[in-house]
Amino acid sequence: MQRRSFLQSSAALSLLGLGACATTSIPSKAKVVVIGGGYGGATAAKYVRLLSDYKIDVVLIEPQAAFISCPISNLVLGGSKQIGDVTTAYTGLSKNHGITVVRDMASAIDTAKKTVTLAGGATIAYDKLVVSPGIDLMYGSIEGLQQAQAAGQILQAWKAGAETVALRRQLEAMPDGGVYAITIPEAPYRCPPGPYERASVIAGYFKAAKPRSKVLILDANPDVTSKGPLFKKVWAEQYKGIIEYRGQHKATAVDAKAGVVKFDVQEDVKANVLNVLPSMRAGAIAVQTGLNNMANNRWCGVNYQSFESTAAKDVFVIGDSIQIAPAMPKSGHMANNHGKVAAAAIVAQLSGWEINPAPMLTNTCYSFVDNKNVIHVASVHEYVAAEKTFKTVAGSGGVSAGPTELEGVYALNWASNIWADSLV
């Protein structure tokens, strides 16, 4: 079967809730259990195996049949990619690295007994646990949003998959001359430049297919939170009259029937397609376990040298669920790096070695401004032992001079490489 056909099939299985990636035998004990198969969890599972020379047993608990990437998924909304193009099966982790992949949901963690209970009823004991549950959307922070989301009227598509496909269908059904509005919560939230990329890519679709349509960006933050000058230049030059940006617009309520979003002080806004992003917090299992001990109980505190939880021994929290260090974005690339640092620390602890005293992280985030042209931001982060945190390395990284098609090639190659690094 060709790779593209395989990916399309994997996506279909995932969206239907079907698949054959799960193990038929669930072990009662593993040296390392990983909850969540995203950029962080999948990477951690793979690298514990690699760094231990395949001597440490790893179980990955993941309810989905296949990994669907949030990075690049905005191109599905713009129409230049299909959901299968951003989908990778978990079979590489089991076949290539001997990881036991259990297709189930972690329903409870007992940090005293060091066990994870699955929704299906089984219990798995661990020596070390990695929790990488991503984010949960706080629907209750916007009145009426929970009901509108459940009815499929107002979508988020901030976890790539079925909602991404459904939101694309809403955009396709919208009449020429209609309005698409995206609301952005106050930072921090998953993928700082993601909403602005989404608005840009959808504007590109409108420009080609629905030229009388408009895009409204309604941002709770006072200004664009990432790559601001670059995005604004593109909007002025490429999407004048199509994109309108409004800062200091914090959504408080929605009326799905009327197609209206309400704000704290500004006037109501009506749109044909509402894409309302609420505030976010650590994933449910982290909250349920009490690992969310930072920032009004929204995020999880960690020891940045190892990503071990500050709330529970032998539990490591990585990815978007953590309380971030200064200038550390909640991105897929960063979660991948978290997974490697945590894996190295776990292997060191289980092997009786010293933990790396000075881990380093890198981040690269590409943003499409149409279906071909891309801008990026990059950074390098070093662990500063004296301050027990990560800080950006002076002079590292930076941003694009402007969008280019060559960066679009780099972006797609980056995606292929990081998917392989995490999952193959």
Side-chain angles (χ1 to χ4, degrees):
M1 185 185 296
Q2 292 184 348
R3 180 175 182 273
R4 181 179 176 86
S5 299
F6 174 74
L7 292 178
Q8 295 284 5
S9 298
S10 297
L13 290 172
S14 180
L15 294 178
L16 291 170
L18 303 172
C21 294
T23 180
T24 56
S25 177
I26 300 175
S28 61
K29 175 71 184 288
K31 282 288 185 181
V32 177
V33 173
V34 180
I35 296 175
Y39 278 100
T43 301
K46 176 179 173 178
Y47 273 81
V48 167
R49 292 287 288 165
L50 288 173
L51 294 173
S52 70
D53 195 23
Y54 295 96
K55 294 176 182 176
I56 295 177
D57 294 331
V58 177
V59 171
L60 173 65
I61 301 168
E62 167 55 49
Q64 299 300 316
F67 167 82
I68 305 178
S69 175
C70 288
I72 311 298
S73 68
N74 279 333
L75 295 185
V76 177
L77 298 177
S80 63
K81 296 290 183 185
Q82 300 297 314
I83 199 70
D85 297 320
V86 297
T87 302
T88 306
Y90 285 110
T91 49
L93 294 179
S94 55
K95 291 182 178 179
N96 299 335
H97 303 287
I99 295 167
T100 301
V101 180
V102 176
R103 189 168 172 216
D104 204 337
M105 180 79 73
S107 62
I109 300 170
D110 187 325
T111 59
K113 294 181 179 179
K114 300 178 76 169
T115 60
V116 177
T117 300
L118 305 180
T123 298
I124 306 175
Y126 64 83
D127 291 312
K128 303 287 183 181
L129 175 66
V130 178
V131 180
S132 186
I135 50 96
D136 265 6
L137 302 176
M138 300 172 68
Y139 295 110
S141 64
I142 299 176
E143 183 183 348
L145 185 58
Q146 179 74 69
Q147 297 86 343
Q149 195 276 339
Q153 297 167 307
I154 298 178
L155 303 174
Q156 290 70 48
W158 218 239
K159 299 179 182 181
E163 277 199 23
T164 310
V165 175
L167 182 55
R168 170 61 185 177
R169 289 172 181 156
Q170 287 186 352
L171 294 169
E172 290 174 327
M174 193 187 86
D176 189 11
V179 176
Y180 159 80
I182 181 169
T183 74
I184 304 171
E186 291 175 311
Y189 56 85
R190 165 181 277 179
C191 190
Y196 313 110
E197 177 194 58
R198 177 172 292 183
S200 302
V201 170
I202 289 174
Y205 164 60
F206 286 169
K207 189 174 181 179
K210 302 175 189 282
R212 297 188 296 114
S213 298
K214 307 292 182 186
V215 172
L216 285 181
I217 305 172
L218 306 165
D219 196 343
N221 301 284
D223 204 351
V224 178
T225 60
S226 178
K227 309 174 197 169
L230 287 171
F231 276 118
K232 287 181 174 180
K233 189 172 187 292
V234 168
W235 298 340
E237 295 179 355
Q238 194 168 326
Y239 299 124
K240 186 176 182 179
I242 299 177
I243 290 181
E244 180 182 342
Y245 175 83
R246 301 178 189 175
Q248 299 282 29
H249 273 63
K250 183 178 180 180
T252 58
V254 295
D255 182 338
K257 186 176 181 180
V260 168
V261 58
K262 302 178 181 181
F263 301 91
D264 46 1
V265 293
Q266 293 82 5
E267 294 182 357
D268 300 351
V269 171
K270 184 177 177 63
N272 300 80
V273 176
L274 288 174
N275 185 195
V276 178
L277 305 179
S279 298
M280 303 175 196
R281 70 176 186 184
I285 190 66
V287 173
Q288 180 183 325
T289 309
L291 304 176
N292 56 323
N293 56 352
M294 300 291 289
N296 295 320
N297 297 324
R298 284 179 62 189
W299 308 111
C300 303
V302 297
N303 172 349
Y304 289 114
Q305 185 184 357
S306 63
F307 290 91
E308 187 168 4
S309 169
T310 56
K313 182 176 173 55
D314 294 321
V315 177
F316 298 74
V317 187
I318 57 176
D320 293 339
S321 279
I322 74 163
Q323 174 69 29
I324 53 176
M328 178 188 286
K330 292 183 182 293
S331 70
H333 193 121
M334 186 57 73
N336 168 271
N337 274 228
H338 291 177
K340 292 174 182 177
V341 172
I346 288 168
V347 171
Q349 288 181 356
L350 292 175
S351 304
W353 306 332
E354 290 294 321
I355 294 175
N356 181 2
M360 302 282 287
L361 306 171
T362 62
N363 183 70
T364 303
C365 182
Y366 292 99
S367 296
F368 283 81
V369 297
D370 53 36
N371 63 1
K372 290 184 179 180
N373 289 278
V374 165
I375 55 179
H376 83 271
V377 62
S379 54
V380 180
H381 305 251
E382 61 180 346
Y383 179 72
V384 181
E387 300 180 50
K388 296 183 178 180
T389 192
F390 279 97
K391 289 193 170 182
T392 52
V393 176
S396 69
V399 297
S400 307
T404 65
E405 287 193 22
L406 181 58
E407 285 217 49
V409 175
Y410 294 160
L412 295 177
N413 286 336
W414 167 87
S416 295
N417 288 333
I418 199 168
W419 296 339
D421 183 52
S422 300
L423 295 148
V424 178

